[in-house]
Amino acid sequence: MFSYNISSLVVDCEIELPGRLAATSNRPAEITIRSAIVPEALDAPIAVAPTWEMTRDQFLLRVPGVARFLVVGDDTILFDAAATATPADLAIFLAGSVFGVLLHLRGYVVLHASAVRVGACAILFCGASGAGKSTIAAALANRGYPVVTDDICAVTIDPVPIVHPDGRQLKLWREAIDALAMSDKAREAVRPSIRKYYVEPPAADRTPMPIGAIYALREPRPPAVIGIQQLPPAVAAAKLHENAYRPRLVDRLGQAGLYFAAATRIASDAGVYHLTRRRDFASMEQVLRSLERHWDAIGLGGRPA
Amino acid sequence: MARVRKTGDWLSAQVGDGLVMMSPEQGNYLGISGVGTRIWELLDTTDDVEAICDALREEYAVSPDQCRADVDAFLAKLDAQGAITYLTGASD
């Protein structure tokens, strides 16, 4: 059995999860991931989509050629691997989508975001897949800002919004690794067939911390102009729901109120912004400088040494 | 005489000097601030638009016509978001 710390939870997993940092805590496991026979469908589902279905306390995800995954209650993940599945295939879903669903079921506010630490706070970058979340986190990590989460960001509200580090390596495309000169930190491919690799961040932080700011990434398509723009609270609240890891699941679980409470709290305490920038690597240095100026302006000091 | 009533199950939270609201069933978000926040509060105590205007004129230096025009414009915005319904005509 392998043991990991993911989003402040101790996770025991029957198979190795590449890209995950080993557990540092001796607490008993809160989540168990193991192989089992998983049905093709669930009895009396309350929601059904082409690839998934759910009941009150179970969530089934079907990934053809990889596995059927079943989240049971809020502490168990079962997987039934297809004959053609590689361990890397299983790991990417177990540590990614399936774990994200489990966090939703446990009542976390789960955002599609990557985060770094600035001073004592987490700075989140959210956006759809391909928006550049991991790349910007990697570029900031190169500047000495520790990475907190990549892709999935688990937040609890108690009473201030707290980010729980995911204890994982970054996942970056080869082009980003080359542009950021991080080849020495690149590890195995995320899946053998794609040019995306696990990358050891130069620094990582594994302590839960409050949110300092959230940036929604976008490109400068008119009328959007390059720069950092604070979102009015109602827009910020809508933006946070939109950037939930699985927005439809939030609605199905009746958690819209939870995200609303989190969003209004974050809009009050921290601020939600658009970061409008060109996505090319040539603009990265300029983007990082404008972020650092913004952190100075909103009082989030703490440049890394 | 225009009468209005709040509709739907809106969640609301104070952010800064304004109010942010969300309707879980419709998935809409609405931000109100300043006098709008006061009007939203007054809607809990009366459904009479004229009574809302009277209350506001005691709190703000505004002419009766201007006050009514501003209240009507704000109520029209709430109506467009499904946050209120007119029990009787909007402009009578």
Side-chain angles (χ1 to χ4, degrees):
Chain A
M1 196 68 98
F2 298 88
S3 192
Y4 300 94
N5 264 139
I6 309 179
S7 307
S8 302
L9 297 163
V10 179
V11 180
D12 277 356
C13 185
E14 234 173 57
I15 62 166
E16 190 174 5
L17 299 176
R20 289 288 179 172
L21 309 171
T24 51
S25 159
N26 294 322
R27 292 199 322 265
E30 286 142 317
I31 314 282
T32 307
I33 303 178
R34 61 189 169 81
S35 167
I37 292 170
V38 170
E40 299 270 357
L42 297 178
D43 284 336
I46 56 167
V48 177
T51 58
W52 58 267
E53 51 194 76
M54 65 186 288
T55 62
R56 295 254 162 249
D57 61 352
Q58 297 199 341
F59 184 98
L60 172 69
L61 176 71
R62 288 180 295 259
V63 185
V66 177
R68 288 191 300 279
F69 299 96
L70 185 66
V71 181
V72 184
D74 61 4
D75 60 3
T76 305
I77 295 173
L78 305 176
F79 61 94
D80 193 340
T84 52
T86 67
D89 288 334
L90 292 170
I92 194 160
F93 286 97
L94 286 170
S97 312
V98 179
F99 202 82
V101 167
L102 176 97
L103 291 170
H104 273 296
L105 295 176
R106 280 184 88 94
Y108 283 75
V109 171
V110 194
L111 299 175
H112 210 175
S114 297
V116 299
R117 178 168 66 77
V118 176
C121 294
I123 302 296
L124 277 60
F125 297 93
C126 58
S129 298
K133 302 183 289 291
S134 300
T135 306
I136 209 161
L140 285 163
N142 268 350
R143 252 169 140 90
Y145 297 97
V147 170
V148 179
T149 68
D150 185 39
D151 201 42
I152 300 180
C153 184
V155 177
T156 51
I157 313 292
D158 44 9
V160 297
I162 299 287
V163 170
H164 297 272
D166 64 3
R168 74 157 111 193
Q169 297 170 348
L170 294 159
K171 295 197 300 277
L172 294 173
W173 294 100
R174 171 52 66 190
E175 293 70 25
I177 293 169
D178 292 342
L180 297 168
M182 293 179 92
S183 317
D184 59 324
K185 308 213 163 43
R187 304 287 178 258
E188 65 266 56
V190 169
R191 295 178 84 175
S193 52
I194 63 173
R195 288 163 52 80
K196 198 171 198 178
Y197 300 83
Y198 292 109
V199 176
E200 188 84 45
D205 199 310
R206 305 182 68 177
T207 323
M209 65 191 81
I211 294 179
I214 298 185
Y215 298 91
L217 300 177
R218 63 173 183 176
E219 292 180 64
R221 295 191 193 90
V225 290
I226 287 177
I228 292 170
Q229 301 95 13
Q230 183 159 15
L231 302 181
V235 180
K239 185 60 77 180
L240 234 66
H241 182 278
E242 180 189 319
N243 281 284
Y245 185 61
R246 291 289 179 262
R248 284 180 61 193
L249 198 52
V250 171
D251 297 333
R252 290 288 184 187
L253 292 171
Q255 292 177 341
L258 171 71
Y259 282 70
F260 178 73
T264 50
R265 188 72 205 233
I266 292 166
S268 283
D269 294 358
V272 182
Y273 306 87
H274 266 142
L275 171 58
T276 313
R277 88 288 180 236
R278 289 198 187 88
R279 253 193 66 201
D280 52 85
F281 293 109
S283 306
M284 186 60 89
E285 181 62 28
Q286 200 186 333
V287 171
L288 301 187
R289 277 204 302 265
S290 74
L291 282 168
E292 288 181 326
R293 278 197 303 272
H294 191 231
W295 298 334
D296 288 341
I298 61 177
L300 287 172
R303 295 277 167 85
Chain B
M1 190 172 63
R3 291 192 176 277
V4 297
R5 184 187 293 154
K6 287 186 179 180
T7 46
D9 219 357
W10 291 80
L11 300 174
S12 68
Q14 183 93 30
V15 180
D17 62 354
L19 210 53
V20 183
M21 308 197 305
M22 181 194 64
S23 156
E25 67 242 44
Q26 300 176 69
N28 318 354
Y29 293 82
L30 185 57
I32 57 181
S33 58
V35 188
T37 316
R38 182 71 185 124
I39 298 173
W40 185 253
E41 273 174 18
L42 288 166
L43 284 168
D44 288 329
T45 64
T46 179
D47 60 8
D48 180 356
V49 177
E50 206 48 55
I52 290 172
C53 291
D54 290 346
L56 291 176
R57 282 177 35 234
E58 285 176 17
E59 299 166 25
Y60 300 89
V62 60
S63 73
D65 287 351
Q66 185 61 50
C67 184
R68 180 62 194 247
D70 291 350
V71 168
D72 280 341
F74 180 71
L75 292 175
K77 181 180 153 191
L78 292 180
D79 183 39
Q81 292 285 335
I84 60 161
T85 359
Y86 288 94
L87 304 176
T88 57
S91 55
D92 56 0

